[in-house]
């Protein structure tokens, strides 16, 4: 019987790939006294649902949709969680709530040897994923501009990062302006191109696609998005979001266990699972 338990709360949570990824890591490291569970908790009992694992000796949990924002009230959110506006990882020993998305993303850029400090980076989108990207990129010293369909949401993102983390200097531009802005990296944080809308791209026709740049698409299903194909067709280098998914989980793993996680294994477990469920 495992004595060290961690897990994920969400609603629904059955589709989460986190149990697979973390339990594979425990197995590979021969950590037999660790186990990662999925716990389905309806939003109306979040407070109670949170107390259950805490009282039953869980060391920590991941938090997924729809609890990531609401849970902030019940934990001590750190600066990352406050800036991103969501908690995805809790350590019950300290009641710390953090968000590992920004570091997971930046770690994956670094794993691909991409320069960040001093680079111009264009972020597409202004939702939660974009907040994590803009926060991480700004802290890593990039010059960031945002393109978003809804201007008011882009403004809200900029205001929120200034108020919560003192981040200044983020520009909001149009896609036409972005075409000539001279970025070395485009990060897609919109849901455009996500399965099943696999032929859609946030870089729409009629706007010239920059030549020889890098695209990081946070979408990981499909593995090769329309935006990534546009990038490669223009002599660029394209990266899908699977590495970020593995690395945001790896940060939580290390926080709870104090053990360095087998990131390559975690990523290949995710890849295999996604390939098995491929419908496109
Ligand atoms: P998440 O938390 O995963 O970032 P979200 O908050 O729903 O999800 O944000 C989705 C992002 O995708 C937003 O930037 C959204 O643009 P709007 O702010 O204009 O809604 C963007 N998005 C979704 N569908 C889009 C579409 N068809 N065209 C352009 N942008 C789209």
């Amino acid at each position: 019987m495992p004595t060290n338990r961690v897990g994920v709360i969400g609603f629904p949570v059955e589709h989460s790939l986190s149990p697979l990824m973390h339990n594979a890591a425990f197995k590979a490291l021969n950590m037999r006294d660790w186990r990662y569970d999925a716990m389905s908790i309806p939003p109306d009992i979040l407070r109670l649902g949170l107390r259950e694992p805490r009282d039953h000796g869980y060391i920590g949990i991941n938090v997924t949709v729809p609890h990531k924002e609401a849970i902030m009230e019940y934990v001590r959110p750190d600066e990352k969680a406050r800036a991103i506006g969501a908690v995805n990882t809790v350590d019950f020993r300290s009641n710390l709530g953090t968000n590992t998305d920004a570091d997971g993303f930046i770690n994956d850029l670094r794993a691909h040897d991409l320069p960040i400090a001093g680079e111009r980076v264009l972020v597409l989108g202004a939702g939660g994923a974009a907040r994590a990207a803009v926060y991480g990129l700004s802290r890593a010293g990039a010059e960031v501009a945002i393109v978003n369909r809804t201007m008011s949401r882009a403004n809200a993102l900029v205001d929120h990062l200034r108020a919560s983390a003192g981040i200044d200097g983020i520009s909001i531009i149009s896609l036409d302006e972005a075409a000539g802005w001279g970025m070395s990296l485009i990060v897609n944080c919109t849901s455009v191109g996500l399965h099943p809308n696999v032929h859609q791209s946030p870089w729409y026709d009629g706007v010239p696609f920059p030549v020889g740049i890098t695209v990081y698409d946070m979408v990981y299903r499909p593995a090769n998005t329309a935006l990534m194909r546009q990038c490669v067709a223009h002599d660029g280098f394209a990266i899908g979001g699977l590495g970020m998914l593995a690395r945001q989980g790896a940060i939580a793993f290390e926080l709870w266990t104090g053990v360095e996680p087998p990131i390559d294994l975690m990523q290949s477990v995710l890849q295999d699972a996604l390939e098995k469920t491929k419908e496109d």
Side-chain angles (χ1 to χ4, degrees):
M1 177 69 183
T3 49
N4 297 310
R5 296 170 89 175
V6 287
V8 57
I9 64 166
F11 191 75
V13 77
E14 290 72 25
H15 302 296
S16 170
L17 297 174
S18 294
L20 213 59
M21 166 169 77
H22 286 276
N23 285 324
F26 290 146
K27 193 167 175 200
L29 296 175
N30 206 18
M31 295 167 70
R32 291 179 198 199
D33 51 346
W34 284 83
R35 194 177 84 190
Y36 188 106
D37 304 311
M39 292 169 273
S40 177
I41 296 184
D44 52 339
I45 60 153
L46 174 61
R47 191 196 182 96
L48 193 72
L50 193 60
R51 219 161 54 200
E52 276 294 299
R54 189 186 286 157
D55 291 351
H56 285 84
Y58 276 71
I59 284 170
I61 48 165
N62 283 134
V63 185
T64 188
V65 181
H67 302 317
K68 287 201 268 191
E69 291 86 20
I71 200 168
M72 291 183 75
E73 214 184 303
Y74 307 119
V75 296
R76 264 188 325 114
D78 67 0
E79 187 203 80
K80 288 168 192 165
R82 280 184 274 116
I84 298 167
V87 161
N88 75 352
T89 302
V90 176
D91 188 329
F92 285 137
R93 295 165 297 194
S94 56
N95 206 29
L96 178 85
T98 189
N99 192 307
T100 63
D101 280 344
D103 289 345
F105 165 60
I106 296 295
N107 289 352
D108 204 35
L109 293 184
R110 295 220 160 101
H112 285 89
D113 288 329
L114 292 176
I116 306 172
E119 297 293 311
R120 286 194 160 182
V121 181
L122 182 72
V123 170
L124 307 176
R131 275 206 296 262
V134 175
Y135 174 80
L137 289 164
S138 298
R139 281 281 181 263
E143 185 187 344
V144 181
I146 301 172
V147 168
N148 196 49
R149 177 180 59 179
T150 311
M151 184 57 103
S152 58
R153 283 194 91 194
N155 280 319
L157 186 155
V158 168
D159 291 347
H160 177 80
L161 285 181
R162 187 182 295 121
S164 61
I167 290 171
D168 272 316
I170 313 293
S171 330
I172 302 172
I173 60 178
S174 67
L175 194 61
D176 285 304
E177 287 167 330
W181 190 55
M183 61 275 175
S184 59
L185 171 67
I186 298 175
V187 185
N188 178 35
C189 305
T190 75
S191 46
V192 183
L194 186 68
H195 179 87
N197 302 313
V198 298
H199 299 297
Q200 293 179 0
S201 166
W203 196 283
Y204 40 80
D205 289 344
V207 182
F209 200 93
V211 173
I213 60 142
T214 302
V215 159
Y216 191 98
D217 201 330
M218 285 195 180
V219 170
Y220 52 81
R221 194 160 175 261
N224 191 15
T225 64
L227 176 67
M228 290 166 70
R229 290 195 297 274
Q230 280 171 300
C231 166
V232 171
H234 291 85
D235 296 327
F237 176 60
I239 308 164
L242 203 64
M244 173 180 169
L245 186 66
R247 287 172 193 280
Q248 61 78 30
I251 295 166
F253 183 100
E254 189 156 1
L255 178 76
W256 298 321
T257 64
V259 175
E260 197 181 319
I263 292 174
D264 291 344
L265 170 92
M266 291 164 91
Q267 187 164 337
S268 72
V269 165
L270 291 173
Q271 193 164 346
D272 290 349
L274 286 166
E275 270 166 21
K276 263 186 214 141
T277 59
K278 197 154 71 177
E279 289 157 29
D280 42 279

